[in-house]
Amino acid sequence: MTQKEEFNNMIFSRINNLIKDYNLIKEGEKIAVALSGGKDSVLTLHALKHFQDSADFDFELVAISVNEGISAYREFGVEAAIENAKICDIPLIQKSFKEEENLELDDIYSYFKSACIPCGVFRRNILNKTAYEWGADKIATGHNLDDEIQSFLMSFSRGDTVKFSKFGPELDRIHEKLVPRIKPLWNTPEADVKKWAILNNIHIHIAECPYSSLSLRAKIKHFLNETEAKHPGTKNNVMNSFIDILDVPPTRTVLNECEICGEPTSGKICKTCEIKSIIQENLKD
């Protein structure tokens, strides 16, 4: 067995075992893969196709890409998404901020402290609505082990214990209109994702988002990588500590429906409509 074959067997076995251990995918379900074209989402697509081919039950797959409108950046991710969807023979639904909201991130990011604020809100909203309209039972995202512990530390540093309920390989359905998320790469380190893409010569979008360097996530990612280099095993220790709290009953938020658009929200107005209001006020000025 070659190094590539051995590594592929290891990484797909780990993902398949996670899916089976947590029962992430059930017979007859429709799974929408959030496909940006980056390494994590592309591995998620290939891994679920591999699992579909080897599973002893049937389920359906579709991929969804969202173009945020970032010049000289996002088009390369869309190209990678299209190519990998074709390789895996999985239909791809393409959406964009321009098509859905009549705006592009490049035009409105300056109205916010971080471009990640409007980007994350619109992207999640479009992805969820598209998956819901398709009839998806779950959305599979490319969150890897590094992403998970970064999110955990971000919430921990903010004292936002409500967000702890969003951790783990599967999220429960908390509202009829919210499609639950699953994370097949939940226990896969980012380094393994990179190695898989290189060994298999996979077409991925490798560039970092031009707006990401200013985010809190980028700072925590840098801190964790530096600490891991000096003290190997740090990331696994953080992850194991996090796993210990998964059995703690999470704080559940009661959801209403937005007074403007009808989408699920914990307040009277959803984040998407709040963001649109800020944009409209800035455009008036």
Side-chain angles (χ1 to χ4, degrees), residues 108-115 117-118 274-276 278-279:
I108 54 95
Y109 77 91
S110 60
Y111 305 152
F112 303 88
K113 183 178 179 180
S114 167
I117 296 172
E274 285 184 14
I275 294 293
K276 288 180 181 179
I278 294 172
I279 294 171

Side-chain angles (χ1 to χ4, degrees), residues 2 6 44 68 73 102 118 125 248 268:
T2 66
E6 186 175 342
T44 301
E68 304 93 342
Y73 169 75
N102 196 31
N125 180 257
V248 178
K268 293 183 177 181

Side-chain angles (χ1 to χ4, degrees), residues 36-44 144 185 190 193-194 196-197 204-205 208 221:
S36 68
K39 65 185 187 309
D40 302 302
S41 68
V42 169
L43 173 55
T44 301
N144 60 46
L185 308 189
E190 183 177 26
V193 182
K194 291 179 179 177
W196 170 81
I204 58 170
H205 184 206
E208 290 283 342
K221 179 178 182 178

Side-chain angles (χ1 to χ4, degrees), residues 119-136:
C119 184
V121 169
F122 283 131
R123 186 161 32 82
R124 285 190 296 269
N125 180 257
I126 293 170
L127 177 62
N128 182 77
K129 287 199 295 186
T130 304
Y132 181 77
E133 289 167 1
W134 180 69

Side-chain angles (χ1 to χ4, degrees), residues 49-96:
K49 177 61 176 177
H50 178 272
F51 182 76
Q52 185 184 53
D53 290 341
S54 61
D56 57 2
F57 60 88
D58 295 327
F59 64 93
E60 194 171 345
L61 287 171
V62 73
I64 302 172
S65 69
V66 179
N67 187 335
E68 304 93 342
I70 305 174
S71 180
Y73 169 75
R74 177 46 65 201
E75 58 264 37
F76 301 109
V78 172
E79 289 174 6
I82 292 172
E83 180 176 323
N84 282 282
K86 285 182 179 178
I87 291 171
C88 293
D89 193 26
I90 294 173
L92 174 65
I93 302 173
Q94 296 186 59
K95 295 289 184 175
S96 70

